[in-house]
Amino acid sequence: MRVAVVLNTSAGSLLGRHEAEAEVARHLATSGLDAILVPDHPDGLCARLDDAIARGADAVVVGGGDGTIAAAAARLVGTSTALGILPLGTMNMLARDLGIPLELAAAAEALAHGAIRAIDAAEVNGHVFLCNSVIGSPSWLGRHRERHRGRASLRTRFGFALAALRAEWQHRPMRLSVALDGGRPVRLWTRALAVASNRYAEGFGLVMARQSLDAGHLTLYVARRYGLWWWVRAAVGMFLGTWRGGRLVHERAAREVTIASPRTALRVMNDGEALLLTPPLTYRIRPRALRVIAPPPVPAA
C-alpha cells in the first residue's frame, strides 16, 4: 500500500526527537508500506495535509495527537481516501478507541495489516472533530496547556495546577440555551459542557473510552455542580465505571445540538485544540463519513 505521511513534529511524543522522521520511515518500511514523507511547508501543517492528499496515495497517514488527526479528517471526510493514524500525541483518544497500539513499531504494523472501516465525524460551525468538543472551564485549561506545550518542567506543571485551581474560582458559570434536534430550547447554567461523537462507555478502567464510533449520534454531557470536588469524583468514578450513577452529569443523545449564548464568543476546545467561535454553536453528526485504517474490532464479551 502506498501512503503519504505527515508528521506533526510539535506533537507531544515527538518534542525533542530530531530523528523522528527517519525513525517513522524505518518502521513503515519494515512493515512493508510504500511511504512518502511529505516535507515541511512554509504555510504550515494544513498545507502539508493538502499536499499529501494531492499525491494520490491509497491513504494519508498522520502522526500526531487528536487535534492533528482531526485537521486531517476535515480534509478527508466524505472522500474515498482513508486516514491512517500514528498516535504520537499526549492523549491519543481516537487511537485508543480504534484499538491502535500506542508504540510506534506496533502502530506501523497495525497500519500495514489493518482494515478500512467507516466511523462518524462530528462538526461544530463547520469545524470537524472526532472525539469531543468542550465548552467552559476545561477549554480554558486546554488553552493554558497549549501555551506551555513542550516545556515539561516542574515550574510549568506547578503553573498548570495553579491555573486549574484559579479556573474553579474565577471561571464564571455560563448562561446557555440548548436545543436538541430542533426541539424546544432549555436554559442551562453551568461551568462545563461537552459534546462527544457517540457515547462514552462505562466500566472499570474505561476512562473517556467509546465502544462505538459509528452509532450515528452526538452525546451531550452537562456537568452538575462543577468544581474541584467534581473533578475528584469524576476521575474516581470513570476509573471504577460508576460515574453515571454518581449523578455527575446530565446526558442526552441527539443528531444535532444547538447552543446559544448571550456572549459574543465562546471558547471551544475540539479534540484538544482551542477555538473561539461565535454562537449559536450548531453541532452535527456525519454518520460513517470518514474512512480509517484500524485493527479489526474486538467482539464484545
Side-chain angles (χ1 to χ4, degrees):
M1 181 168 59
R2 184 169 174 265
V3 298
V5 183
V6 176
L7 297 183
N8 182 4
T9 53
S10 63
S13 63
L14 290 183
L15 289 171
R17 294 170 63 175
H18 303 294
E19 303 298 327
E21 290 192 354
E23 182 182 354
V24 168
R26 184 173 66 253
H27 285 300
L28 293 177
T30 302
S31 302
L33 292 171
D34 179 12
I36 306 169
L37 266 68
V38 179
D40 287 336
H41 194 284
D43 292 332
L45 178 65
C46 292
R48 294 177 66 197
L49 291 169
D50 293 336
D51 185 7
I53 295 170
R55 291 173 184 260
D58 299 312
V60 173
V61 174
V62 176
D66 291 301
T68 306
I69 294 166
R75 288 156 170 76
L76 296 175
V77 162
T79 72
S80 60
T81 304
L83 171 65
I85 298 170
L86 292 174
L88 301 175
T90 304
M91 300 296 291
N92 302 309
M93 292 187 292
L94 181 62
R96 295 175 190 272
D97 291 338
L98 288 169
I100 297 173
L102 301 185
E103 197 271 326
L104 182 55
E109 283 291 327
L111 274 176
H113 302 100
I116 295 178
R117 57 181 289 198
I119 66 171
D120 299 339
E123 63 179 29
V124 51
N125 291 14
H127 296 271
V128 172
F129 64 94
L130 301 176
C131 300
N132 59 44
S133 177
V134 181
I135 305 172
S137 179
S139 68
W140 187 89
L141 292 176
R143 182 187 175 207
H144 179 88
R145 186 199 68 179
E146 287 300 313
R147 285 203 306 263
H148 298 280
R149 181 185 291 272
R151 305 176 199 169
S153 65
L154 181 61
R155 180 179 177 182
T156 56
R157 291 190 179 99
F158 182 70
F160 183 81
L162 287 179
L165 292 174
R166 190 164 57 247
E168 305 309 323
W169 284 296
Q170 293 184 354
H171 197 283
R172 295 182 300 169
M174 302 174 293
R175 189 166 71 249
L176 304 174
S177 176
V178 179
L180 305 181
D181 293 328
R184 182 180 177 181
V186 176
R187 292 183 179 180
L188 298 178
W189 186 250
T190 183
R191 294 190 183 201
L193 177 151
V195 179
S197 175
N198 293 285
R199 188 174 188 254
Y200 286 116
E202 188 174 48
F204 182 76
L206 295 178
V207 180
M208 302 292 284
R210 297 168 295 165
Q211 292 180 329
S212 175
L213 300 178
D214 58 0
H217 67 258
L218 302 166
T219 306
L220 171 70
Y221 296 97
V222 181
R224 301 178 58 173
R225 298 180 181 178
Y226 178 87
L228 186 60
W229 179 236
W230 183 94
W231 273 109
V232 174
R233 292 178 59 201
V236 174
M238 285 182 179
F239 182 76
L240 297 177
T242 59
W243 58 281
R244 286 194 177 92
R247 296 193 175 187
L248 295 169
V249 297
H250 295 285
E251 177 184 344
R252 294 290 185 273
R255 290 179 63 89
E256 181 176 308
V257 178
T258 303
I259 299 176
S261 169
R263 300 185 182 186
T264 57
L266 288 173
R267 194 169 300 282
V268 180
M269 188 168 64
N270 281 359
D271 290 350
E273 300 296 322
L275 299 170
L276 196 63
L277 301 180
T278 302
L281 307 182
T282 302
Y283 288 87
R284 295 188 176 92
I285 192 75
R286 299 180 64 175
R288 300 173 62 85
L290 179 66
R291 289 158 54 87
V292 297
I293 303 173
V298 177

